[in-house]
Amino acid sequence: MKVSIVGTGYVGLVTGACLAECGHDVICVDVDPRKVEAINSAKPPIHEEGLPELLLRHAGKRLRASTDLAAAVKATEITFIAVGTPAADGKIDLKYVEGAAEEIGAAMREKSGPTTVVVKSTVIPGTTEGVVRAALERGSGKIAGRDFSLGMNPEFLTEGTAVADFTFPDRLVLGGIDGRTHDVLRELYQSFDASVPRIMTNPTTAEMIKYASNAVLATMISYSNEIARLCTAV
């Protein structure tokens, strides 16, 4: 498949490099021309075990980077939103997600053929079918479910081992607003081991699964730290 990914942080770039390894043609989009140049030169702008080897194999072939979001969207079948979601005043800041969705929507206005937009960023439940859908429809003048597909595919990556985590997942959570979206996501991950569970659900449930997973990890870390303090004390 032809895939574009907006955002080249550790999630976006690792996703792009790993999808290229799976045989897909990938365009990574970033506003920073220095990061784009580094990726196209097979020089990872971040440290991730296994990433340099992937870039050496695929940069300039199945994987390339660009600052031209509109051209990338028009040239691909599926576009991932993998931009940052920083915290501000104790709340998630969706300005980058919404901004990316609006730009993608504007590019879709002039695009013919099937299009699927998938949120990869960690967002609160309801964001994909709320903020993102509204921005895409506003920018494109098209309707989700009728004119384009919309989904949410959360990542479960750990910084430092993200390539291995992506390549050997313990489950794939594929959230879509309709069956057509699920079909696209199934095809995207077709090369993955058939024994890996594919959890087919709606975008809001996919978002909740990601938050629940993060909460479990945070609880385990907090519990471990408390036990360590108690052991030290006694």
Side-chain angles (χ1 to χ4, degrees), residues 103-225:
E103 286 192 58
I104 293 166
M108 288 165 52
R109 183 179 286 271
E110 302 174 2
K111 179 183 178 182
S112 59
T115 300
T116 300
V117 180
V118 179
V119 176
K120 196 76 173 173
S121 304
T122 298
V123 293
I124 59 175
T127 299
T128 299
E129 294 195 76
V131 172
V132 173
R133 180 173 187 160
L136 290 169
E137 292 182 343
R138 185 168 61 246
S140 66
K142 299 179 179 181
I143 303 299
R146 186 190 73 185
D147 304 313
F148 66 93
S149 300
L150 178 63
M152 203 283 164
N153 172 217
E155 51 82 16
F156 301 97
L157 309 179
T158 301
E159 291 190 40
T161 61
V163 170
D165 292 342
F166 188 99
T167 306
F168 304 104
D170 56 8
R171 80 279 203 196
L172 292 167
V173 178
L174 310 177
I177 62 171
D178 53 20
R180 184 170 60 178
T181 307
H182 285 150
D183 289 343
V184 171
L185 290 171
R186 281 195 193 95
E187 182 180 353
L188 183 73
Y189 291 108
Q190 189 174 18
S191 65
F192 280 59
D193 194 312
S195 65
V196 177
R198 271 72 164 171
I199 302 173
M200 315 304 296
T201 186
N202 58 58
T204 300
T205 300
E207 292 160 342
M208 189 66 230
I209 289 171
K210 170 60 175 175
Y211 263 80
S213 176
N214 282 4
V216 168
L217 292 173
T219 300
M220 291 172 63
I221 292 169
S222 297
Y223 176 76
S224 298
N225 287 338

Side-chain angles (χ1 to χ4, degrees), residues 1-171:
M1 299 182 73
K2 296 184 182 299
V3 181
S4 52
I5 301 175
V6 181
T8 61
Y10 92 93
V11 172
L13 182 54
V14 167
T15 297
C18 289
L19 287 177
E21 181 78 355
C22 292
H24 301 293
D25 292 319
V26 182
I27 304 174
C28 290
V29 179
D30 201 281
V31 296
D32 187 344
R34 292 172 299 180
K35 292 180 71 174
V36 167
E37 182 181 357
I39 294 167
N40 286 330
S41 300
K43 298 175 182 177
I46 57 174
H47 172 72
E48 278 295 337
E49 185 177 350
L51 184 58
E53 293 81 359
L54 291 180
L55 292 186
L56 283 172
R57 275 201 294 274
H58 302 299
K61 300 169 187 174
R62 288 197 187 121
L63 176 69
R64 63 187 179 90
S66 172
T67 57
D68 193 338
L69 184 149
V73 172
K74 293 174 186 176
T76 54
E77 306 159 72
I78 178 170
T79 298
F80 280 95
I81 297 175
V83 296
T85 52
D89 299 323
K91 297 179 181 179
I92 186 173
D93 188 347
L94 294 173
K95 65 182 178 184
Y96 299 118
V97 170
E98 185 172 15
E102 287 180 347
E103 286 192 58
I104 293 166
M108 288 165 52
R109 183 179 286 271
E110 302 174 2
K111 179 183 178 182
S112 59
T115 300
T116 300
V117 180
V118 179
V119 176
K120 196 76 173 173
S121 304
T122 298
V123 293
I124 59 175
T127 299
T128 299
E129 294 195 76
V131 172
V132 173
R133 180 173 187 160
L136 290 169
E137 292 182 343
R138 185 168 61 246
S140 66
K142 299 179 179 181
I143 303 299
R146 186 190 73 185
D147 304 313
F148 66 93
S149 300
L150 178 63
M152 203 283 164
N153 172 217
E155 51 82 16
F156 301 97
L157 309 179
T158 301
E159 291 190 40
T161 61
V163 170
D165 292 342
F166 188 99
T167 306
F168 304 104
D170 56 8
R171 80 279 203 196

